[in-house]
Amino acid sequence: MHTSPVETPPRPPERRPATLSTGVLALCSALLLALVALEWRPLLGLDGDISRATHRWAVDEPGLTQTSRVLTDWVWDPWTMRVLCGVVAALLVWRYAARWTATWLVLTVAVGSAVQQGLKAAVDRARPVWPDPVDSAHYAAFPSGHAMTATVVCGLLLWLLHRHGAGRVLWRTALAAAVVSVAGVGLTRVWLGVHWPTDVLGGWLLGALVVAGAVAVHERRHPGAASAGGSGPDGDHR
């Protein structure tokens, strides 16, 4: 009697690269945090050299400095990023009834903000002080809230677009906008003399770590679910 061949069950998605990248981000973040908290002199010296050079340029280029101030205070401000996140969350609920993903998105941004503020209070790093400042900022310096918030929001939105089959034009446009925003906000904070370079680096690393952790949580809830082919963002068929 002829028996039909038994299909091999699909292999579970490979998680090792994601786990490795999360581990690397955690290690780099912890190392930088320790060096900043311990005030490691070579790192402080490098911070000071870069900051003094960029501050001289900022004083000598008032037009570029004013542009940086507008970008950092309005376009890439943390509250602008949070509002963008809220708009996307509302769209997820309205268009796809994806309440779990919308809640996950908002909570991740909130957790990122809480981590950022907690580390600022714990490290209590002083901001740069200049005799001729071109801008001012409040609270402690490490990590940069602007850099961390932009990294978290842009990283999450890019992952959602990629996961749910964004078209090539939309994906490339969003990727370019995210790269410019995350890099640009970090550069403006150093240019305006309100952050040390390692504050920005810390914001980027910690933001990426928050994104990696949030993605892992989402994948456990909806492993491999995608909206392409008739599924909503929460993996429920429409």
Side-chain angles (χ1 to χ4, degrees), residues 1-232:
M1 186 176 75
H2 177 72
T3 57
S4 58
V6 177
E7 293 185 1
T8 304
R11 296 173 61 186
E14 181 61 61
R15 298 184 182 275
R16 186 172 301 172
T19 303
L20 178 61
S21 61
T22 303
V24 170
L25 284 170
L27 179 61
C28 292
S29 299
L31 177 61
L32 181 61
L33 174 61
L35 293 177
V36 169
L38 294 173
E39 299 183 350
W40 191 50
R41 288 189 178 276
L43 188 68
L44 298 185
L46 180 62
D47 265 345
D49 291 342
I50 296 174
S51 295
R52 282 188 290 272
T54 54
H55 180 68
R56 287 195 300 269
W57 299 337
V59 171
D60 293 339
E61 299 289 343
L64 188 54
T65 298
Q66 179 59 31
T67 301
S68 297
R69 190 179 294 117
V70 171
L71 289 172
T72 198
D73 288 344
W74 295 98
V75 180
W76 297 324
D77 181 76
W79 280 109
T80 303
M81 292 290 166
R82 291 168 188 144
V83 169
L84 174 61
C85 168
V87 170
V88 172
L91 179 62
L92 286 169
V93 174
W94 173 71
R95 177 67 177 83
Y96 300 103
R99 293 180 179 82
W100 191 90
T101 295
T103 303
W104 165 86
L105 177 62
V106 172
L107 285 179
T108 300
V109 175
V111 167
S113 297
V115 169
Q116 167 213 133
Q117 292 300 323
L119 286 175
K120 280 181 179 290
V123 177
D124 196 26
R125 189 184 198 187
R127 291 180 184 267
V129 177
W130 310 106
D132 49 353
V134 298
D135 203 356
S136 62
H138 305 289
Y139 310 112
F142 185 92
S144 166
H146 281 69
M148 186 170 175
T149 303
T151 303
V152 170
V153 172
C154 291
L156 294 175
L157 298 187
L158 280 178
W159 182 79
L160 285 172
L161 283 174
H162 178 70
R163 178 180 173 86
H164 301 299
R168 180 176 298 179
V169 174
L170 175 59
W171 168 250
R172 289 181 176 177
T173 302
L175 180 61
V179 170
V180 170
S181 297
V182 172
V185 73
L187 294 175
T188 59
R189 302 309 284 168
V190 177
W191 180 271
L192 293 172
V194 294
H195 272 296
W196 306 104
T198 47
D199 299 336
V200 171
L201 179 59
W204 286 337
L205 288 172
L206 290 163
L209 181 59
V210 169
V211 171
V215 167
V217 170
H218 198 291
E219 287 288 1
R220 286 195 186 95
R221 174 68 182 261
H222 298 294
S227 63
S231 297

